[in-house]
Amino acid sequence: MKASRRDVLKAGVLAGGGLSLGLQISGGAKAAMPGQLSAFVRIGTDGSITITAHQPEIGQGVRTSFPMMIAEELDVDWAQVTVQPALGDRSTYGVQLAGGSSATPTQFERMRRLGAGARAMLVQAAANAWGVPAAEITTGSAMLHHKASGRSARYADMAEAAAAIPAPDPKTLPLKDWSQFKILGKRVPGVDNRAIVTGKPLFGIDTRLPGMVYAAFAKSPVFGGKLKSANRAAALAVPGVKGLINVAERRDLKTEIDIALPGIEVLPEGIAVLATSTWAALRGRDALACVWEGGDAAFQSTAAWEAAAAKAFKDGPQKPGYMNHGNAPAKMATAAKKVSAEYSYPFLAHSALEPINATAHVQGDKCELWLSTQTPEDARRMVALALGLKVADVTIHMMRSGGGFGRRLMNDFAVEAAVIAKAAGVPVKLTWDRAQDFAHDWLRPGGWHKLEAGLDEKGDIIAWHDHFVSFGADGKLNPTAVIDGSLFPSGVIKDFRADVTVLPIASTLGWLRAPINNAFAFVTQGFIDDCAQAAGRDPLEYRRAVLGAPRAIPIAEEFSGETGEDMKGTPYNTGRMRGVLDKAAEMAGWGRKLTPKAGERRGLGIAFHFSHLGYFANVVEASVANDGSVKVHHVWVAADIGKQIVNLSGAENQVQGSVIDALGAALGQKITFADGAVEQKNYGDFHLARMDMAPAVDVAFLSTEYMTTGLGEPAYPSLAPALAGAIHAATGKRLRTLPLDTSQLTA
């Protein structure tokens, strides 16, 4: 079954029913607490206002932004609000998902209506108490006012009566006009900021339970490998090691949602080491000195895959005409000039700073987990299946995640912890080290592209052909490695053809920040630069010509929110893209003369990309030293994600974080295989961006008359091609492989 990125998003948003805005505002039965207006809003008799943040927090800021949306329509001051995280419970809160930059576009209106609904209940309670029409009552700062009679009351005074009033139909509730916002659009610090910087326990790895033991799990670095031998006596002799648990392989853990959003393919065979500390558990695991043999993935080799891709380019594709819009071959035959180039990019690991971990406690037919997860409901289902429990008997405490980037969409670590905890009979915290994180990640797939474009007499692109080589099984591309109609240049270039060759892989593949887009933007935007150079035209002017006149192109399927209604706006609007392109160029002073320092060459590069309903353009200023080292000095980012920025501080942080994340990947990250296993073991050979690499990042948001969309991912893809463009402008050398090989840049 072929699953697109939108299929994945829908699987996360819609699978299992979920909450409709037409249902009761609380999303389920109201809690029997005074002042509990819904599952999301509680007004205390002391005047306290507690708003529940129900989405997983992985650094994208939803623990702050969602309560802001509710508070805005509830008509309270932000300083009056206390935020509390929710349990993982779809039946009460509806969809709980961190992925696809879907949170804001699918929940923006719903959260506002939840706030408006709670306000309406308070207003009606006051109207009933005072014997006046509800329409005559105004609100503000958690106060109710009736001007004609001069009466006022705190929300707290009416909260208990309001909680007994039936929740109104959310669709009937009036919402504030954008111009009336007092909280949304402002700079609001993250609700966890102080706790984070003062070291308070917020993250999954901070979990401590009475009687808890610590676990490390020895498993084959090659998927499907079998245990040949282990020195159990040596492991038990390590100080702090308390016991060993044999874990048998299981291959029966797939659920229906795995079609689009995999969670665990196989519970691997191995040995769990229980100890008094994580360090002791890891030392005990290493002392086992396990010897593994065989495995489904033993054939995997980066060298072999590279040779296979080169052979495919020579021999031709497995699947010619995989995508065929217009008649690219015929147009190519009429071209005044042809341009060709090959691009490639590697596997990438997610490399979240918080190590993969899970804490589980199994008591009888109940299981409780403390997780940093992006998909808590999937974790509940998978753990229930593994332990033979009912889903309702699995409780998920959603801990803050120290990075997710798509890795924590999968809950294999939760299943491992639960299985080990059941056998141990006590609470267990399982922690992976970085080598296991890399070896058992759900990797961003690598790929190769052989591109050809036909240019007319003016140098404009009239045909585009891509032979795409990537990974899958049974001749089908993995869902994380698809090429489809949502990706540029489909729709923008009328005559476009893509051929495909599929290489086999056994290791797990997954979604990494701005899935698929993070690789394709480097390829397509880099090739635009190739064509601009062949045409002898400026990269900015050439991109304007490629985009053409403002128009809507139906190439990207729009996804639905919990209302079941399509997001308003166009799938791909070249006018919106032109707007951010021009804005980024203006911010950077495109075309200005640069003044390199002695011993360096300096240049500007520009790129754009449409991702997760967001329109983004980046300009990068970079210098290249005579030894080939690259320094990024400044990045300018222009974004169009619709009418309203929810939290300006958070929005800027997301864009800046994406830029730095993408910069690290562009300059130093790749995962390679030999003898079936990942070769990288730690950050020493998988380089994240360091502080001294971080450039100044200026961000501008264009406010356009479209619904607000997501921001966690779409700023990422256009950084790498803009950097490659800046390097070319500085040196005249075009780098077409990620990570960028700076050894080619020596003067």
Side-chain angles (χ1 to χ4, degrees), residues 434 438 668 680-688 690:
R434 193 60 60 186
F438 288 163
Q680 286 68 32
K681 303 302 180 185
N682 213 322
Y683 287 141
D685 44 19
F686 190 86
H687 300 286
L688 301 188
R690 268 54 173 184

Side-chain angles (χ1 to χ4, degrees), residues 1-18:
M1 175 179 177
K2 179 181 177 183
S4 70
R5 291 172 297 129
R6 299 303 183 204
D7 292 330
V8 172
L9 180 58
K10 286 180 177 178
V13 172
L14 302 177

Side-chain angles (χ1 to χ4, degrees), residues 56 88 96-97 373-381 396 398 411:
Q96 294 174 291
L97 168 72
T373 177
Q374 296 178 237
T375 50
E377 193 65 21
D378 291 348
R380 294 180 77 195
R381 286 202 296 268
I396 301 290
M398 291 197 302
N411 292 286

Side-chain angles (χ1 to χ4, degrees), residues 713-734:
E713 299 172 277
Y716 185 114
S718 50
L719 184 281
L723 173 56
I727 290 171
H728 177 263
T731 66
K733 296 179 181 179
R734 181 79 61 192

Side-chain angles (χ1 to χ4, degrees), residues 308 312-313 315-322 467-470 472-477 499-504:
F313 286 161
D315 297 345
Q318 290 176 355
K319 297 177 178 294
Y322 185 86
H467 180 180
F468 172 47
V469 179
S470 194
D474 302 322
K476 296 180 180 179
L477 288 170
D499 303 330
V500 164
T501 296
V502 181
L503 303 182

Side-chain angles (χ1 to χ4, degrees), residues 8 123 176 189 195 256 285 288 340 355 360 410 424 520 688:
V8 172
V123 167
K176 289 183 179 180
E256 69 280 358
R285 183 205 61 188
L288 285 167
S340 61
M410 318 334 180
F520 273 74
L688 301 188

Side-chain angles (χ1 to χ4, degrees), residues 26 81 92 116 126 138 190 237 243 269 348 389 461 492 502 514 543 556 594 598 658 714 725 742:
S26 66
V81 172
T92 296
T138 59
E269 173 186 356
L348 285 183
L389 303 178
I461 301 172
V492 179
V502 181
R543 282 172 169 76
L594 302 179
S658 284
T742 58

